[in-house]
Amino acid sequence: MSHPIRPRKRFGQNFLHDPAVLGRIVAAIGPRADDTMIEIGPGLGALTGPLLQRLEHLEVVEIDRDLVAALRQMAPPERLTIHNADALHFDFAARAPAAGGLRIVGNLPYNISTPLLFHLLGQAAAIRDMHFLLQKEVVERMVAEPGSKRYGRLTVMLGARAQARQLFTVGPGAFRPAPKVDSALVRIEPLAEPLVPPSLEGSFRKVVNQAFSNRRKTVRRALTGILDPAAIEAAGIDGGHRPEQLAIRDFLALARAAQSTANPAVAKPDPAADALPTRGDAFEPGGTTVEQP
């Protein structure tokens, strides 16, 4: 879509323009005509156009009013529904079909990618899959294996609810203006049943957060105040390991142990259940802030 709109830094706008990359993204998504799909942050419509060629109807969520005006030129309302809204507060589940699940795609701003992801996973029952372009380093954290340097809070909290797969890397030149880092396309599919039951969500979150806030310590030292060394060993976990060496099932075992202590500070549900921090070793890529395409 040709339009004299300049990218806005406050919205983290880097517009995707490379036709070859757009073709690979659409092929990876594999849209079917009757899919119910929502695109987050369509920008100038570079991905919107190819998706409309495959879909009978597409919905988009765009916060920038100037871009909304331009997007209206792309297709009539019966084919393109535009929501001028903040995706962090948008009710995606309300747009889902009765059957088949909602499909979500988009180029997510780096500065909101983690809270937005968990906002979406809070509505996972309505979602079939998600395809996002994100900073490559963030995607590597999503798909990391236990024992690797990338493995952290994001890996564990995401893996408890969904399966993520890195599909391919996209270089800076595919965007205008070009970001300073590589991006990657990731496919995220919510699990049919989350690994953590609702009754354990509060203690699981506290255990994971505290463990990775002290990731250079051993587990027995990292969880001081939540579990004593004997309780950690009784849960079947080697307290001499470091947090990044534990699998999701290990954190689940520790959460059960923490819950059984009947410590109100641990067992009390967190009112900000899905509002994971956006700073810290597993959330702030390389300690830098980067504008996301």
Side-chain angles (χ1 to χ4, degrees), residues 20 36 42 44 46 53 56 63 68 85 129-130 139-140 150 152 164 166 168 171-172 185 188 202 270:
T36 300
L44 295 176
Q53 292 176 10
E56 295 173 354
I63 194 172
V68 166
D129 60 26
M130 297 174 271
V139 174
E140 289 174 345
R150 301 289 193 204
Q166 181 175 334
F168 57 84
L185 185 70
I188 303 168
D270 188 343

Side-chain angles (χ1 to χ4, degrees), residues 88-283:
L88 282 170
H89 304 289
F90 189 77
D91 187 353
F92 289 89
R95 312 301 301 178
L102 182 62
R103 308 193 71 192
I104 302 177
V105 304
N107 305 324
L108 301 188
Y110 289 157
N111 53 356
I112 67 165
S113 59
T114 297
L116 179 54
L117 177 60
F118 283 90
H119 173 62
L120 290 165
L121 287 174
Q123 305 172 64
I127 297 173
R128 172 179 152 193
D129 60 26
M130 297 174 271
H131 290 80
F132 295 133
L133 267 181
L134 295 166
Q135 185 173 346
K136 181 184 176 184
E137 188 173 340
V138 173
V139 174
E140 289 174 345
R141 292 174 188 267
M142 290 181 177
V143 302
E145 296 292 334
S148 69
K149 292 182 179 179
R150 301 289 193 204
Y151 188 80
R153 265 182 296 195
L154 178 57
T155 324
V156 174
M157 296 303 293
L158 173 63
R161 300 189 187 188
Q163 184 174 43
R165 179 186 174 194
Q166 181 175 334
L167 301 182
F168 57 84
T169 300
V170 178
F175 306 93
R176 293 196 185 106
K180 296 179 181 179
V181 295
D182 285 339
S183 300
L185 185 70
V186 62
R187 176 183 293 134
I188 303 168
E189 297 175 285
L191 300 175
E193 189 71 33
L195 300 182
V196 182
S199 61
L200 280 179
E201 285 180 358
S203 56
F204 182 79
R205 187 174 304 106
K206 290 179 185 295
V207 166
V208 173
N209 285 349
Q210 182 162 320
F212 285 107
S213 293
N214 300 284
R215 65 180 297 145
R216 291 178 177 82
K217 298 181 179 180
T218 61
V219 171
R220 69 171 65 93
R221 294 186 62 199
L223 295 181
T224 298
I226 293 182
L227 286 168
D228 60 35
I232 293 172
E233 299 294 336
I237 307 302
D238 184 344
H241 283 166
R242 297 188 186 277
E244 67 266 23
Q245 295 176 281
L246 303 186
I248 295 175
R249 65 178 180 276
D250 297 326
F251 285 103
L252 186 56
L254 291 169
R256 288 196 181 97
Q259 190 87 308
S260 69
T261 65
N263 182 344
V266 174
K268 183 179 179 181
D270 188 343
D274 296 306
L276 294 184
T278 56
R279 294 184 179 181
D281 58 0
F283 296 90

